Amino acid sequence: MARHFGVFAGDRGYTEPGLTSDPAELLLIFTEFNRVPALTGCGRLTGQPLTAGAIDSVQSQTQVFCTVMVDHGAGAAAATGDPRWAELNASHTRLWGPAFRSRRANRARELTWYSTADLQQMLAYLDVLGAPRGTPVPITHPDGRLSIIKGLGDPQAARIWPCKP
């Protein structure tokens, strides 16, 4: 993240954690960043173009970092003493539209199958992931038992799950 986006942002004089408060301008910044690695290997790093896989990785790492920081902006503001981290918003979780995301057809992907019991167990604990850390969360186990489990405080992990019941 720092090796690629950090160089890009520093070269352009961006000092704000959120870069800009204008969602349209934010999209333009990340569209420009998307072009830089493909053309130059991020300028002063290597001078060589990055591979398609490396570009995908840079995009993914940047998106994940920004999404995590939106979820944990208040904590980052407290930890760094910079209140601007708390100003990140949903625009920072959508850095590239579908037209700017690569679609690599040559990636082999192994399929994983989950049993109905496995899926039920995962769904039973989903609310525990998203609940604030330490907050008691009542859950019903797949076998019908009731429990109260402390929340894990990870709303991002809860959002990853494709379908909430």
Side-chain angles (χ1 to χ4, degrees), residues 50-136:
L50 296 177
T51 65
I55 292 168
D56 288 350
S57 179
V58 169
Q59 260 190 327
S60 177
Q61 290 169 10
T62 304
Q63 181 67 70
V64 167
F65 173 78
C66 290
T67 302
V68 167
M69 294 312 291
V70 166
D71 287 341
H72 301 285
T80 63
D82 187 342
R84 298 175 299 175
W85 282 109
E87 297 170 7
L88 299 180
N89 58 52
S91 297
H92 293 87
T93 65
R94 299 181 300 270
L95 303 181
W96 291 280
F100 295 100
R101 291 190 190 118
S102 62
R103 288 170 179 73
R104 309 273 185 246
N106 60 350
R107 286 192 176 175
R109 184 173 174 174
E110 186 176 323
L111 294 177
T112 303
W113 299 97
Y114 295 101
S115 69
T116 301
D118 291 337
L119 292 172
Q120 287 174 335
Q121 186 173 8
M122 289 180 215
L123 282 171
Y125 299 104
L126 185 61
D127 290 336
V128 174
L129 276 174
R133 182 175 293 283
T135 302

Side-chain angles (χ1 to χ4, degrees), residues 142-161:
D143 63 6
R145 291 179 300 119
L146 296 175
S147 292
I148 295 180
I149 300 176
K150 292 181 181 178
L152 297 176
D154 195 346
Q156 180 183 7
R159 281 196 304 271
I160 290 171
W161 187 257

